[in-house]
Amino acid sequence: MAAVHEMLQPYVDRRILLGKDLVVLYEATQEFLVAVDPRGAVIGCGALHVMWEDLGEVRTLLVSDEWLHRGVGRRLVEELEIVATKLGITRLFCLTFETAFFARRGFTEIGEQIVSPDVYSQLVRSPDEGIAEFLDLAHVKPNTLGNTRMLKHLT
């Protein structure tokens, strides 16, 4: 997770991704997949966060600059979808600037009200910032300006 934290920092500095303390990354270790180069160095990562019984989020999807456009991000998303399917997740959410990348993977832009009022009333109780982003709550908007909320239905 230290390598993921190091890889994340330039994106935080450029305000592309929200920062995560190292302890938060360690707490979420089981959610992450990492890609490594032939030498074993981390070149990409992505996480699957379960939000509700049928809803998950692709989080912290990163690929090092040297490995962009070589299929690493695509493969990470594919593997996260496999994990999601095994967990019974039928919908995957992401909050991204990379809309074309996610659109090529079957994600579409969403508006509001994509969960029932009963589910909303449960999700809004979560302290998790990602769920607040999913719900498009006002207190996260300053950190998410310009990002697009996208969703994919898994088959």
Side-chain angles (χ1 to χ4, degrees):
M1 294 319 297
V4 169
H5 187 260
E6 183 178 324
M7 198 173 159
L8 177 62
Q9 200 53 50
Y11 296 95
V12 172
D13 294 343
R14 293 187 305 220
R15 300 183 56 92
I16 294 170
L17 292 173
L18 294 176
K20 291 183 177 18
D21 291 327
L22 190 53
V23 67
V24 172
L25 291 173
Y26 276 114
E27 289 172 342
T29 298
Q30 72 281 0
E31 297 181 357
F32 274 84
L33 296 177
V34 295
V36 296
D37 70 10
R39 297 173 291 116
V42 174
I43 59 168
C45 66
L48 171 67
H49 181 75
V50 177
M51 298 170 74
W52 197 250
E53 67 180 330
D54 66 336
L55 179 64
E57 179 185 6
V58 173
R59 290 186 172 179
T60 320
L61 184 67
L62 302 169
V63 176
S64 66
D65 290 340
E66 309 82 53
W67 286 86
L68 287 174
H69 309 292
R70 295 171 73 177
V72 176
R74 174 189 47 79
R75 182 68 189 272
L76 284 165
V77 171
E78 289 170 354
E79 293 297 322
L80 291 169
E81 288 179 8
I82 290 168
V83 173
T85 301
K86 289 179 181 177
L87 292 173
I89 304 280
T90 59
R91 298 178 298 162
L92 275 181
F93 166 75
C94 70
L95 182 70
T96 185
F97 288 109
E98 299 296 335
T99 56
F101 171 85
F102 280 99
R104 287 191 302 272
R105 268 129 215 101
F107 287 76
T108 57
E109 292 185 29
I110 58 171
E112 297 178 22
Q113 302 293 331
I114 65 165
V115 295
S116 71
D118 290 341
V119 172
Y120 182 94
S121 71
Q122 294 296 317
L123 289 176
V124 77
R125 297 176 183 180
S126 174
D128 186 271
E129 288 293 310
I131 291 179
E133 293 166 350
F134 170 74
L135 296 175
D136 204 23
L137 300 180
H139 75 273
V140 296
K141 288 186 189 253
N143 292 325
T144 61
L145 291 177
N147 284 342
T148 300
R149 298 164 70 239
M150 300 183 81
L151 190 74
K152 179 177 182 174
H153 293 271
L154 302 175
T155 55

